[in-house]
Amino acid sequence: VAIDLSDLPVLKYGTAWKNEKTADLVYKAIKSGFRHIDTACQPRHYREDLVGEGWTRAAKELGLSRSELHLQTKFSGAKAHEPGTEPYDINAPLEEQVRQSLKKSLENLQTSYLDSWIMHGPEDSWENTWKVYNTMEEAVDAGTVKQIGISNFYQLEDVQWLYEHARIKPKVLQNRFYPETNHDAELRSFCKAQGIEYQSFWTLTANEHAIHSPPALEIAQERGVSPEVLFYAFCMAIGISPLDGSTSEE
């Protein structure tokens, strides 16, 4: 049965901190039913090349075409990298760094296009943030990237400003989902109004208090599911696409 990849919200497989196990875990995730895979061109925390190895192996075995998977990766600015591991020439103009990162991602992921490409975080100034975003827009124009988005933007006015001034509107906001930001309530409302997919990370780690609260545990028991599954279901019910980085096949 074909899966409609445009159906949102959806549970996505997150690949950070998987190291040399990345290929096998991505392979198992796809075999288990995941079709949305999230990674980044940031060797410090991701093995993007092994994501490419994992999805191609699973797709070959399952008879899946490239269009039956949703691959999302990120451009990470120079400060997000361990010195010497940057996937681009750090002395090149910022716009060229973005283009080189995209080229490396396509190579790593063994694909001719990306379903989604995200700015991993704001740069040190609006001028430079804008340079990155404008260069990402060029990739949509070229057809190399289907959509673009942003991550680690926690101020409503920043997201509103970028959205209002962007020629190609962001389709994704991926943020840490935790109490310190009031779970991005205002940002999520803005995203919903503008048709932006809100993706959450640290969804379980940062919300243990809610997941294991007595009312949640009671409902989970009634439904015959784990507290974690219940929390993911709750998030998706209110329009959030969580990233799940499970290393278990259960």
Side-chain angles (χ1 to χ4, degrees):
V1 178
I3 297 173
D4 186 351
L5 295 178
S6 66
D7 281 349
L8 299 172
V10 66
L11 190 63
K12 300 171 184 286
Y13 191 65
T15 61
W17 309 302
K18 303 292 188 289
N19 301 315
E20 69 281 353
K21 297 179 181 177
T22 299
D24 284 341
L25 289 169
V26 169
Y27 166 80
K28 290 174 181 176
I30 294 172
K31 291 268 287 185
S32 298
F34 282 94
R35 293 296 180 267
H36 287 244
I37 310 296
D38 174 85
T39 187
C41 197
Q42 184 194 30
R44 182 182 194 172
H45 296 311
Y46 296 82
R47 285 296 304 272
E48 193 183 46
D49 58 326
L50 296 184
V51 173
E53 182 182 313
W55 88 256
T56 51
R57 179 161 34 117
K60 183 177 182 181
E61 191 168 310
L62 294 173
L64 297 174
S65 66
R66 168 67 182 85
S67 63
E68 291 177 279
L69 292 165
H70 186 280
L71 300 181
Q72 173 176 278
T73 191
K74 308 175 192 80
F75 165 77
S76 305
K79 291 181 179 179
H81 296 280
E82 290 283 359
T85 68
E86 302 90 350
Y88 44 73
D89 179 1
I90 59 172
N91 296 312
L94 184 54
E95 296 90 338
E96 184 57 29
Q97 292 178 20
V98 178
R99 296 184 190 106
Q100 289 178 12
S101 180
L102 175 59
K103 183 178 180 182
K104 188 65 175 177
S105 286
L106 295 172
E107 177 187 313
N108 282 341
L109 293 171
Q110 303 181 42
T111 182
S112 60
Y113 71 93
L114 297 177
D115 296 283
S116 187
W117 191 29
I118 294 176
M119 186 191 310
H120 211 159
E123 292 290 316
D124 55 6
S125 68
W126 264 113
E127 179 185 3
N128 285 338
T129 296
W130 208 231
K131 284 181 181 179
V132 171
Y133 195 85
N134 288 159
T135 308
M136 294 174 73
E137 288 178 317
E138 293 175 5
V140 179
D141 292 334
T144 313
V145 173
K146 289 190 174 183
Q147 67 176 32
I148 52 178
I150 54 178
S151 180
N152 293 300
F153 279 70
Y154 294 96
Q155 300 300 317
L156 176 62
E157 57 269 28
D158 290 348
V159 177
Q160 287 176 323
W161 192 90
L162 188 145
Y163 184 87
E164 289 165 7
H165 292 84
R167 179 173 59 83
I168 296 175
K169 307 301 182 187
K171 299 299 291 182
V172 171
L173 172 63
Q174 184 186 110
N175 274 355
R176 183 179 301 170
F177 189 63
Y178 66 140
E180 286 82 346
T181 57
N182 193 30
H183 293 98
D184 282 348
E186 289 186 334
L187 277 169
R188 288 188 288 110
S189 179
F190 178 77
C191 287
K192 185 176 181 180
Q194 305 301 336
I196 299 170
E197 180 189 17
Y198 180 89
Q199 300 177 2
S200 64
F201 63 89
W202 276 34
T203 313
L204 300 181
T205 307
N207 295 287
E208 290 285 344
H209 63 294
I211 294 168
H212 295 288
S213 65
L217 292 175
E218 184 179 341
I219 295 170
Q221 188 172 16
E222 287 175 359
R223 300 294 173 90
V225 298
S226 71
E228 292 78 14
V229 167
L230 179 70
F231 194 71
Y232 276 150
F234 167 76
C235 289
M236 294 173 70
I238 61 172
I240 296 169
S241 290
L243 269 66
D244 175 64
S246 175
T247 57
S248 168
E249 292 184 65
E250 293 181 5

